[in-house]
Coordinates of all heavy atoms in Angstrom, one line a residue:
M1 N 0.1 -10.3 15.6 CA 0.5 -8.9 15.6 C -0.4 -8.2 14.5 O -0.5 -8.8 13.4 CB 2.0 -8.7 15.2 CG 2.5 -7.3 15.3 SD 4.2 -7.1 14.9 CE 5.0 -8.3 16.0
N2 N -0.9 -7.0 14.8 CA -1.7 -6.4 13.7 C -0.9 -5.2 13.1 O 0.3 -5.0 13.6 CB -3.0 -5.8 14.3 CG -2.8 -4.8 15.4 OD1 -1.9 -4.0 15.3 ND2 -3.7 -4.9 16.4
I3 N -1.4 -4.5 12.1 CA -0.7 -3.5 11.4 C -0.2 -2.4 12.4 O 0.9 -1.9 12.2 CB -1.5 -2.9 10.3 CG1 -1.7 -4.0 9.2 CG2 -0.9 -1.7 9.7 CD1 -2.7 -3.6 8.1
M4 N -1.1 -2.0 13.3 CA -0.7 -0.9 14.2 C 0.5 -1.3 15.1 O 1.4 -0.5 15.3 CB -1.9 -0.6 15.1 CG -3.1 -0.1 14.4 SD -2.8 1.3 13.4 CE -3.0 2.6 14.6
E5 N 0.5 -2.6 15.5 CA 1.7 -3.1 16.3 C 2.9 -3.1 15.4 O 4.0 -2.8 15.9 CB 1.4 -4.5 16.9 CG 0.3 -4.4 17.9 CD -0.2 -5.8 18.3 OE1 -0.3 -6.7 17.4 OE2 -0.6 -6.0 19.5
V6 N 2.8 -3.5 14.2 CA 3.9 -3.6 13.3 C 4.5 -2.2 13.1 O 5.7 -1.9 13.2 CB 3.5 -4.1 11.9 CG1 4.6 -3.9 10.9 CG2 3.2 -5.6 12.0
N7 N 3.6 -1.2 12.9 CA 4.1 0.2 12.7 C 4.7 0.8 13.9 O 5.5 1.7 13.8 CB 2.9 1.0 12.2 CG 2.6 0.7 10.7 OD1 3.4 0.2 10.0 ND2 1.4 1.1 10.3
A8 N 4.2 0.3 15.1 CA 4.7 0.9 16.4 C 6.1 0.5 16.7 O 6.8 1.1 17.5 CB 3.7 0.6 17.5
N9 N 6.5 -0.6 16.2 CA 7.8 -1.2 16.5 C 8.9 -0.6 15.5 O 8.9 -0.8 14.3 CB 7.8 -2.7 16.3 CG 9.1 -3.3 16.7 OD1 10.2 -2.7 16.9 ND2 9.1 -4.6 16.9
P10 N 9.8 0.3 16.1 CA 10.8 0.9 15.2 C 11.7 -0.1 14.4 O 12.2 0.2 13.3 CB 11.7 1.7 16.2 CG 10.9 1.8 17.4 CD 10.0 0.6 17.5
R11 N 11.8 -1.3 14.9 CA 12.6 -2.3 14.2 C 11.9 -2.7 12.9 O 12.6 -3.2 12.0 CB 12.8 -3.5 15.1 CG 13.7 -3.3 16.2 CD 14.0 -4.5 17.1 NE 14.5 -5.6 16.3 CZ 14.3 -6.8 16.6 NH1 13.7 -7.2 17.7 NH2 14.9 -7.8 15.9
N12 N 10.6 -2.5 12.8 CA 9.9 -2.8 11.6 C 9.9 -1.7 10.5 O 9.4 -1.9 9.5 CB 8.5 -3.2 11.9 CG 8.4 -4.5 12.7 OD1 9.2 -5.4 12.6 ND2 7.4 -4.6 13.6
R13 N 10.5 -0.6 10.9 CA 10.4 0.6 10.0 C 11.2 0.3 8.7 O 12.3 0.0 8.8 CB 10.9 1.8 10.6 CG 10.1 2.3 11.8 CD 8.8 2.9 11.3 NE 7.9 2.9 12.4 CZ 7.2 4.0 12.9 NH1 7.5 5.2 12.3 NH2 6.4 4.0 13.8
C14 N 10.5 0.5 7.6 CA 11.2 0.5 6.3 C 10.6 1.6 5.5 O 9.4 1.5 5.2 CB 11.0 -0.9 5.6 SG 11.7 -0.9 4.0
Y15 N 11.4 2.6 5.1 CA 10.8 3.7 4.5 C 10.5 3.6 3.1 O 9.9 4.4 2.5 CB 11.7 4.9 4.8 CG 11.8 5.2 6.3 CD1 12.8 4.8 7.0 CD2 10.7 5.9 6.9 CE1 12.9 5.1 8.4 CE2 10.7 6.1 8.2 CZ 11.8 5.7 9.0 OH 11.8 5.9 10.3
R16 N 11.0 2.5 2.4 CA 10.7 2.3 1.0 C 10.1 1.0 0.7 O 10.2 0.5 -0.3 CB 12.0 2.5 0.2 CG 12.5 3.9 0.2 CD 11.5 4.9 -0.5 NE 12.0 6.3 -0.4 CZ 11.6 7.1 0.6 NH1 10.7 6.7 1.5 NH2 12.0 8.3 0.6
C17 N 9.5 0.4 1.8 CA 8.9 -0.9 1.6 C 7.4 -0.8 1.7 O 6.8 0.1 2.3 CB 9.4 -1.9 2.7 SG 11.1 -2.3 2.5
L18 N 6.7 -1.8 1.1 CA 5.3 -2.0 1.2 C 5.0 -2.9 2.3 O 5.9 -3.7 2.7 CB 4.7 -2.5 -0.1 CG 5.0 -1.6 -1.3 CD1 4.5 -2.3 -2.6 CD2 4.4 -0.2 -1.2
L19 N 3.8 -2.9 2.8 CA 3.5 -3.8 4.0 C 3.7 -5.3 3.6 O 4.2 -6.0 4.4 CB 2.0 -3.6 4.4 CG 1.6 -4.3 5.7 CD1 2.5 -3.9 6.8 CD2 0.2 -4.2 5.9
E20 N 3.4 -5.6 2.4 CA 3.6 -7.0 1.9 C 5.1 -7.5 2.2 O 5.3 -8.6 2.5 CB 3.3 -7.2 0.5 CG 3.4 -8.6 0.0 CD 3.0 -8.8 -1.5 OE1 2.9 -7.8 -2.2 OE2 2.7 -9.9 -1.8
E21 N 6.0 -6.5 2.0 CA 7.4 -6.9 2.2 C 7.8 -6.8 3.7 O 8.8 -7.5 4.1 CB 8.3 -5.9 1.4 CG 8.0 -6.0 -0.1 CD 8.2 -4.8 -0.9 OE1 8.4 -3.7 -0.3 OE2 8.1 -4.8 -2.1
I22 N 7.2 -5.9 4.4 CA 7.5 -5.7 5.9 C 7.0 -6.9 6.7 O 7.6 -7.4 7.6 CB 7.0 -4.4 6.4 CG1 7.6 -3.2 5.6 CG2 7.3 -4.2 7.9 CD1 6.9 -1.9 5.8
D23 N 5.7 -7.2 6.5 CA 5.0 -8.1 7.3 C 4.0 -8.9 6.5 O 2.8 -8.6 6.4 CB 4.3 -7.4 8.5 CG 3.6 -8.4 9.4 OD1 3.6 -9.6 9.1 OD2 3.1 -7.9 10.5
P24 N 4.4 -10.0 5.8 CA 3.5 -10.8 4.9 C 2.3 -11.3 5.6 O 1.2 -11.4 5.0 CB 4.4 -11.9 4.4 CG 5.8 -11.4 4.6 CD 5.8 -10.5 5.8
V25 N 2.4 -11.6 6.9 CA 1.2 -12.2 7.6 C 0.2 -11.1 7.8 O -1.0 -11.3 7.5 CB 1.6 -12.7 9.0 CG1 0.4 -13.1 9.8 CG2 2.6 -13.9 8.8
S26 N 0.5 -9.9 8.2 CA -0.4 -8.8 8.4 C -1.0 -8.4 7.0 O -2.1 -8.1 6.8 CB 0.2 -7.6 9.0 OG 0.4 -7.9 10.4
Y27 N -0.1 -8.4 6.0 CA -0.5 -8.1 4.6 C -1.6 -9.0 4.2 O -2.7 -8.6 3.7 CB 0.6 -8.1 3.7 CG 0.2 -8.0 2.2 CD1 0.0 -6.7 1.7 CD2 0.0 -9.1 1.4 CE1 -0.5 -6.6 0.4 CE2 -0.5 -9.0 0.1 CZ -0.7 -7.7 -0.4 OH -1.1 -7.6 -1.7
E28 N -1.4 -10.3 4.3 CA -2.4 -11.3 3.9 C -3.7 -11.1 4.7 O -4.8 -11.2 4.1 CB -1.9 -12.7 4.1 CG -0.9 -13.2 3.1 CD -1.5 -13.2 1.7 OE1 -2.7 -13.5 1.5 OE2 -0.7 -12.9 0.7
R29 N -3.6 -10.9 6.0 CA -4.8 -10.8 6.8 C -5.6 -9.5 6.6 O -6.8 -9.4 6.6 CB -4.4 -11.0 8.3 CG -5.6 -11.0 9.2 CD -5.1 -10.9 10.7 NE -4.4 -9.7 10.9 CZ -3.2 -9.7 11.6 NH1 -2.7 -10.8 12.1 NH2 -2.5 -8.6 11.7
D30 N -4.8 -8.4 6.5 CA -5.5 -7.1 6.5 C -5.6 -6.3 5.2 O -6.5 -5.5 5.0 CB -4.7 -6.1 7.5 CG -4.7 -6.7 8.9 OD1 -5.7 -7.4 9.3 OD2 -3.7 -6.6 9.6
I31 N -4.6 -6.6 4.3 CA -4.7 -5.9 3.0 C -5.2 -6.8 1.9 O -6.1 -6.4 1.2 CB -3.2 -5.4 2.6 CG1 -2.7 -4.5 3.7 CG2 -3.3 -4.7 1.3 CD1 -3.4 -3.2 3.9
R32 N -4.6 -8.0 1.8 CA -5.0 -8.9 0.7 C -6.5 -9.2 0.8 O -7.2 -9.3 -0.2 CB -4.2 -10.2 0.8 CG -4.4 -11.1 -0.3 CD -3.6 -10.7 -1.6 NE -4.5 -10.3 -2.6 CZ -4.2 -9.6 -3.7 NH1 -3.0 -9.2 -3.9 NH2 -5.1 -9.2 -4.6
R33 N -7.0 -9.4 2.0 CA -8.4 -9.7 2.2 C -9.3 -8.6 1.7 O -10.3 -8.9 1.0 CB -8.6 -9.9 3.7 CG -10.0 -10.3 4.1 CD -10.1 -10.6 5.6 NE -9.7 -9.4 6.4 CZ -10.5 -8.4 6.7 NH1 -11.7 -8.4 6.3 NH2 -10.0 -7.4 7.5
I34 N -8.9 -7.4 1.9 CA -9.7 -6.2 1.4 C -9.6 -6.2 -0.1 O -10.6 -6.0 -0.8 CB -9.3 -4.9 2.1 CG1 -9.6 -5.0 3.6 CG2 -10.0 -3.7 1.4 CD1 -9.0 -3.8 4.3
L35 N -8.4 -6.3 -0.6 CA -8.3 -6.3 -2.1 C -9.1 -7.4 -2.7 O -9.7 -7.2 -3.8 CB -6.8 -6.5 -2.5 CG -5.8 -5.4 -2.1 CD1 -4.4 -5.8 -2.4 CD2 -6.2 -4.1 -2.8
D36 N -9.2 -8.6 -2.1 CA -10.0 -9.7 -2.7 C -11.5 -9.4 -2.6 O -12.2 -10.0 -3.4 CB -9.6 -11.0 -2.0 CG -8.2 -11.5 -2.3 OD1 -7.6 -11.0 -3.3 OD2 -7.7 -12.4 -1.5
M37 N -11.9 -8.5 -1.7 CA -13.3 -8.2 -1.6 C -13.7 -7.2 -2.6 O -14.9 -7.0 -2.8 CB -13.6 -7.8 -0.2 CG -13.6 -8.9 0.9 SD -14.3 -8.4 2.5 CE -13.4 -7.0 2.9
M38 N -12.8 -6.4 -3.1 CA -13.1 -5.4 -4.1 C -13.7 -6.0 -5.4 O -13.2 -7.0 -5.8 CB -11.9 -4.5 -4.4 CG -11.4 -3.7 -3.3 SD -9.9 -2.8 -3.6 CE -10.4 -1.6 -4.8
R39 N -14.7 -5.4 -5.9 CA -15.3 -5.9 -7.2 C -14.4 -5.6 -8.3 O -13.7 -4.6 -8.3 CB -16.7 -5.3 -7.4 CG -17.7 -5.8 -6.4 CD -19.1 -5.3 -6.8 NE -19.2 -3.9 -6.5 CZ -19.8 -3.3 -5.5 NH1 -20.4 -4.1 -4.6 NH2 -19.8 -2.0 -5.3
P40 N -14.4 -6.4 -9.4 CA -13.5 -6.2 -10.5 C -13.7 -4.7 -11.1 O -12.7 -4.1 -11.5 CB -14.0 -7.2 -11.6 CG -14.5 -8.3 -10.7 CD -15.2 -7.7 -9.5
G41 N -14.8 -4.2 -11.1 CA -15.0 -2.8 -11.6 C -14.5 -1.7 -10.7 O -14.5 -0.6 -11.1
E42 N -14.1 -2.1 -9.6 CA -13.5 -1.1 -8.6 C -12.0 -1.1 -8.7 O -11.4 -0.2 -8.1 CB -13.9 -1.4 -7.2 CG -15.4 -1.4 -6.9 CD -15.8 -1.9 -5.5 OE1 -15.1 -2.8 -5.0 OE2 -16.7 -1.3 -5.0
K43 N -11.4 -2.1 -9.3 CA -9.9 -2.3 -9.2 C -9.3 -2.0 -10.6 O -9.9 -2.2 -11.6 CB -9.6 -3.7 -8.8 CG -9.9 -4.0 -7.4 CD -9.1 -5.3 -7.0 CE -9.9 -6.5 -7.4 NZ -9.3 -7.7 -6.7
V44 N -8.1 -1.5 -10.5 CA -7.3 -1.3 -11.7 C -6.7 -2.7 -12.2 O -6.6 -3.6 -11.4 CB -6.2 -0.3 -11.6 CG1 -6.7 1.1 -11.3 CG2 -5.2 -0.7 -10.5
H45 N -6.3 -2.7 -13.4 CA -5.7 -3.9 -13.9 C -4.4 -4.2 -13.1 O -3.7 -3.2 -12.7 CB -5.4 -3.8 -15.4 CG -4.8 -5.0 -16.1 ND1 -3.5 -5.3 -16.1 CD2 -5.5 -6.0 -16.7 CE1 -3.3 -6.5 -16.7 NE2 -4.5 -6.9 -17.1
E46 N -4.0 -5.4 -13.0 CA -2.8 -5.8 -12.3 C -1.5 -5.0 -12.7 O -0.7 -4.6 -11.9 CB -2.5 -7.3 -12.3 CG -1.4 -7.8 -11.5 CD -1.5 -7.6 -10.0 OE1 -2.6 -7.4 -9.5 OE2 -0.5 -7.6 -9.3
N47 N -1.4 -4.9 -14.1 CA -0.2 -4.2 -14.6 C -0.1 -2.7 -14.1 O 0.9 -2.2 -13.7 CB -0.2 -4.2 -16.1 CG 0.1 -5.6 -16.7 OD1 0.5 -6.5 -15.9 ND2 -0.1 -5.7 -18.0
L48 N -1.3 -2.1 -14.1 CA -1.4 -0.7 -13.7 C -1.1 -0.6 -12.2 O -0.4 0.3 -11.7 CB -2.7 0.0 -14.0 CG -2.9 1.4 -13.6 CD1 -1.8 2.3 -14.1 CD2 -4.2 1.9 -14.1
Y49 N -1.7 -1.6 -11.4 CA -1.5 -1.7 -10.0 C 0.0 -1.7 -9.7 O 0.5 -1.0 -8.8 CB -2.2 -2.9 -9.5 CG -2.2 -3.1 -8.0 CD1 -2.6 -2.1 -7.1 CD2 -1.7 -4.3 -7.4 CE1 -2.5 -2.3 -5.7 CE2 -1.6 -4.4 -6.1 CZ -2.0 -3.4 -5.2 OH -2.0 -3.6 -3.8
Q50 N 0.7 -2.6 -10.3 CA 2.1 -2.8 -10.1 C 2.9 -1.5 -10.4 O 3.9 -1.1 -9.8 CB 2.7 -4.0 -10.8 CG 2.2 -5.3 -10.2 CD 2.4 -5.5 -8.7 OE1 3.5 -5.1 -8.2 NE2 1.5 -6.1 -8.0
M51 N 2.5 -0.9 -11.5 CA 3.2 0.4 -11.9 C 3.0 1.5 -10.8 O 3.9 2.2 -10.5 CB 2.6 0.9 -13.3 CG 3.1 0.1 -14.4 SD 2.4 0.6 -16.0 CE 2.8 2.3 -16.1
R52 N 1.8 1.5 -10.3 CA 1.5 2.5 -9.2 C 2.4 2.2 -8.0 O 3.0 3.1 -7.4 CB 0.0 2.5 -8.8 CG -0.9 3.1 -9.9 CD -2.3 3.0 -9.5 NE -3.2 3.8 -10.4 CZ -4.5 4.0 -10.2 NH1 -5.1 3.4 -9.1 NH2 -5.2 4.7 -11.0
L53 N 2.4 0.9 -7.6 CA 3.2 0.5 -6.5 C 4.7 0.8 -6.7 O 5.4 1.2 -5.8 CB 3.0 -0.9 -6.1 CG 1.6 -1.3 -5.6 CD1 1.5 -2.8 -5.3 CD2 1.2 -0.5 -4.4
D54 N 5.2 0.6 -7.9 CA 6.6 0.9 -8.2 C 6.9 2.4 -8.0 O 7.9 2.8 -7.5 CB 6.9 0.5 -9.6 CG 7.1 -1.0 -9.7 OD1 7.2 -1.7 -8.7 OD2 7.0 -1.5 -10.9
T55 N 5.9 3.2 -8.4 CA 6.1 4.7 -8.2 C 6.1 5.0 -6.7 O 7.0 5.8 -6.3 CB 4.9 5.4 -8.9 OG1 4.9 5.1 -10.3 CG2 5.0 6.9 -8.7
C56 N 5.2 4.4 -6.0 CA 5.2 4.6 -4.5 C 6.5 4.2 -3.9 O 7.0 4.9 -3.0 CB 4.0 3.9 -3.9 SG 2.4 4.6 -4.3
R57 N 7.0 3.1 -4.3 CA 8.3 2.6 -3.7 C 9.4 3.6 -3.9 O 10.4 3.6 -3.1 CB 8.7 1.3 -4.4 CG 8.0 0.1 -3.9 CD 8.7 -1.2 -4.5 NE 8.0 -2.3 -4.1 CZ 7.1 -3.0 -4.9 NH1 6.8 -2.5 -6.0 NH2 6.5 -4.0 -4.4
Q58 N 9.4 4.5 -4.9 CA 10.4 5.5 -5.1 C 10.1 6.8 -4.5 O 10.8 7.8 -4.7 CB 10.6 5.6 -6.6 CG 10.5 4.3 -7.3 CD 11.7 4.1 -8.2 OE1 12.5 4.9 -8.5 NE2 11.8 2.8 -8.6
C59 N 8.9 6.9 -3.9 CA 8.4 8.2 -3.4 C 8.9 8.5 -2.0 O 8.9 7.7 -1.1 CB 6.9 8.2 -3.5 SG 6.2 9.8 -3.0
E60 N 9.2 9.8 -1.8 CA 9.7 10.2 -0.5 C 8.6 10.2 0.6 O 8.8 10.2 1.8 CB 10.2 11.6 -0.6 CG 9.2 12.7 -1.0 CD 9.8 14.1 -1.2 OE1 10.3 14.6 -0.2 OE2 9.7 14.6 -2.3
Y61 N 7.3 10.1 0.1 CA 6.2 10.1 1.1 C 5.9 8.7 1.6 O 5.1 8.5 2.5 CB 5.0 10.7 0.4 CG 5.1 12.2 0.3 CD1 5.4 12.8 -1.0 CD2 5.0 13.1 1.4 CE1 5.6 14.1 -1.2 CE2 5.2 14.4 1.2 CZ 5.5 14.9 0.0 OH 5.7 16.3 -0.2
L62 N 6.5 7.7 1.0 CA 6.2 6.3 1.4 C 7.0 6.1 2.7 O 8.2 6.3 2.8 CB 6.6 5.3 0.4 CG 6.4 3.8 0.8 CD1 4.9 3.5 0.9 CD2 7.0 2.9 -0.2
N63 N 6.3 5.6 3.7 CA 6.9 5.3 5.0 C 6.2 4.1 5.6 O 5.0 4.1 6.0 CB 6.7 6.5 6.0 CG 7.4 6.3 7.3 OD1 7.6 5.2 7.7 ND2 7.6 7.4 8.0
N64 N 6.9 3.0 5.6 CA 6.4 1.8 6.3 C 5.1 1.3 5.6 O 4.2 0.9 6.4 CB 6.2 2.0 7.8 CG 6.6 0.9 8.6 OD1 7.4 0.0 8.2 ND2 6.0 0.8 9.8
G65 N 5.0 1.4 4.3 CA 3.8 0.9 3.7 C 2.7 1.9 3.6 O 1.6 1.7 3.0
T66 N 2.9 3.1 4.2 CA 1.8 4.1 4.3 C 2.3 5.4 3.5 O 3.4 5.8 3.6 CB 1.6 4.5 5.7 OG1 1.2 3.4 6.5 CG2 0.5 5.6 5.8
C67 N 1.3 5.9 2.8 CA 1.6 7.2 2.1 C 1.4 8.3 3.2 O 0.3 8.5 3.7 CB 0.6 7.4 1.0 SG 0.7 9.1 0.3
T68 N 2.4 9.0 3.5 CA 2.3 10.1 4.5 C 1.7 11.3 4.0 O 1.3 12.2 4.8 CB 3.7 10.4 5.1 OG1 4.6 10.8 4.1 CG2 4.3 9.2 5.9
A69 N 1.4 11.4 2.7 CA 0.7 12.5 2.1 C -0.8 12.4 2.3 O -1.5 13.4 2.5 CB 1.0 12.7 0.6
C70 N -1.3 11.2 2.3 CA -2.7 11.0 2.4 C -3.1 10.1 3.6 O -4.3 10.0 4.0 CB -3.3 10.4 1.1 SG -2.8 8.7 0.7
G71 N -2.2 9.3 4.1 CA -2.5 8.4 5.3 C -2.9 7.1 4.9 O -3.3 6.3 5.8
C72 N -3.0 6.8 3.6 CA -3.5 5.5 3.2 C -2.4 4.4 3.1 O -1.2 4.8 2.9 CB -4.1 5.6 1.8 SG -5.5 6.6 1.7
Y73 N -2.8 3.2 3.3 CA -1.8 2.1 2.9 C -1.8 2.1 1.3 O -2.9 1.9 0.7 CB -2.3 0.7 3.4 CG -2.1 0.6 4.9 CD1 -3.2 0.7 5.8 CD2 -0.8 0.5 5.4 CE1 -3.0 0.6 7.1 CE2 -0.6 0.4 6.8 CZ -1.7 0.4 7.6 OH -1.5 0.3 9.0
V74 N -0.6 2.3 0.8 CA -0.6 2.4 -0.7 C -1.0 1.2 -1.4 O -1.6 1.3 -2.5 CB 0.8 2.9 -1.2 CG1 1.2 4.2 -0.6 CG2 1.9 1.8 -0.8
E75 N -0.9 0.0 -0.8 CA -1.4 -1.2 -1.5 C -2.9 -1.2 -1.6 O -3.4 -1.9 -2.5 CB -0.9 -2.4 -0.7 CG 0.6 -2.6 -0.9 CD 1.3 -3.2 0.3 OE1 1.3 -2.6 1.4 OE2 1.9 -4.3 0.2
L76 N -3.6 -0.5 -0.8 CA -5.0 -0.3 -1.0 C -5.4 0.8 -1.9 O -6.1 0.7 -2.8 CB -5.7 -0.1 0.4 CG -5.7 -1.3 1.3 CD1 -6.4 -1.0 2.6 CD2 -6.4 -2.5 0.7
R77 N -4.7 1.9 -1.7 CA -5.1 3.1 -2.5 C -4.8 2.9 -4.0 O -5.5 3.3 -4.8 CB -4.3 4.3 -2.0 CG -4.7 5.6 -2.6 CD -4.0 6.8 -2.1 NE -4.5 8.0 -2.7 CZ -5.4 8.8 -2.1 NH1 -5.9 8.5 -0.9 NH2 -5.8 9.9 -2.7
A78 N -3.6 2.2 -4.2 CA -3.2 2.0 -5.6 C -4.2 1.1 -6.4 O -4.2 1.1 -7.6 CB -1.8 1.5 -5.7
A79 N -4.9 0.3 -5.7 CA -5.8 -0.6 -6.3 C -7.1 0.0 -6.9 O -7.7 -0.6 -7.8 CB -6.2 -1.8 -5.4
G80 N -7.5 1.1 -6.3 CA -8.8 1.7 -6.7 C -8.8 2.3 -8.0 O -7.9 3.2 -8.4
L81 N -9.8 2.0 -8.8 CA -10.0 2.6 -10.2 C -10.1 4.1 -10.1 O -9.6 4.8 -10.9 CB -11.2 2.0 -10.8 CG -11.3 2.0 -12.3 CD1 -10.1 1.4 -13.0 CD2 -12.6 1.4 -12.8
Q82 N -10.8 4.6 -9.1 CA -11.0 6.0 -8.9 C -9.9 6.7 -8.1 O -10.0 7.9 -7.9 CB -12.4 6.3 -8.3 CG -13.5 5.7 -9.0 CD -13.7 6.3 -10.4 OE1 -13.5 7.4 -10.6 NE2 -14.1 5.4 -11.4
S83 N -9.0 5.9 -7.5 CA -8.0 6.5 -6.7 C -7.0 7.3 -7.4 O -6.6 6.9 -8.6 CB -7.3 5.4 -5.9 OG -8.2 4.7 -5.1
R84 N -6.4 8.3 -6.8 CA -5.4 9.1 -7.4 C -4.3 9.3 -6.3 O -4.6 9.4 -5.2 CB -5.9 10.4 -7.9 CG -7.0 10.4 -8.9 CD -6.4 9.9 -10.3 NE -7.4 9.8 -11.3 CZ -8.0 8.6 -11.6 NH1 -7.7 7.5 -11.0 NH2 -8.9 8.6 -12.6
C85 N -3.1 9.5 -6.8 CA -2.0 9.9 -5.9 C -2.3 11.4 -5.6 O -2.5 12.2 -6.4 CB -0.7 9.8 -6.7 SG 0.7 10.7 -5.9
P86 N -2.1 11.7 -4.3 CA -2.4 13.1 -3.9 C -1.4 14.1 -4.6 O -1.7 15.3 -4.7 CB -2.2 13.1 -2.4 CG -1.5 11.9 -2.0 CD -1.8 10.9 -3.1
Y87 N -0.3 13.6 -5.0 CA 0.7 14.5 -5.7 C 0.8 14.2 -7.2 O 1.7 14.6 -7.8 CB 2.1 14.3 -5.0 CG 2.2 15.1 -3.8 CD1 2.0 14.5 -2.5 CD2 2.4 16.5 -3.8 CE1 2.0 15.2 -1.3 CE2 2.4 17.2 -2.6 CZ 2.2 16.5 -1.4 OH 2.2 17.2 -0.2
K88 N -0.3 13.5 -7.7 CA -0.4 13.3 -9.1 C 0.8 12.5 -9.7 O 1.2 12.8 -10.9 CB -0.7 14.6 -9.9 CG -1.9 15.3 -9.5 CD -2.2 16.5 -10.3 CE -3.5 17.2 -10.1 NZ -4.0 17.4 -8.8
N89 N 1.4 11.6 -8.9 CA 2.5 10.8 -9.4 C 1.9 9.6 -10.2 O 2.6 9.0 -11.0 CB 3.4 10.3 -8.3 CG 4.1 11.4 -7.7 OD1 4.6 12.4 -8.4 ND2 4.3 11.4 -6.4
W90 N 0.7 9.3 -10.0 CA -0.1 8.3 -10.8 C -1.5 8.6 -10.8 O -2.0 9.4 -10.0 CB 0.2 6.9 -10.4 CG 0.1 6.5 -9.0 CD1 1.2 6.4 -8.1 CD2 -1.0 6.3 -8.1 NE1 0.8 6.0 -6.9 CE2 -0.6 6.0 -6.8 CE3 -2.4 6.3 -8.4 CZ2 -1.4 5.7 -5.8 CZ3 -3.3 6.0 -7.4 CH2 -2.8 5.7 -6.1
Ligands
SF4_1 S1 0.4 7.8 -3.3 FE1 1.7 9.4 -4.3 S2 2.5 10.6 -2.7 FE2 1.7 8.7 -1.8 S3 3.5 7.4 -1.7 FE3 2.5 6.9 -3.6 S4 3.5 8.2 -5.1 FE4 4.0 9.0 -3.1

């Protein structure tokens, strides 16, 4: 099952969860792999990354691991050193 199939199934909907929590297999294959390919200079420190994700978990725009304000998977967007929350929450 890929991310699109996970999101298409209403039983998988979790409005305050990240993809890692919804579907660990897809997370490892599709998100973790990209995070691991990012160079150290492109990524924020792990502590800041987790703080950003904690903020997203409490945000009304998080839907099934996706930020509905920007359309990104928050687990990818939050990792980028140059990335910003579209609503300046981080
Ligand atoms: S990136 Fe910003 S707007 Fe999007 S879910 Fe996270 S905190 Fe909310």
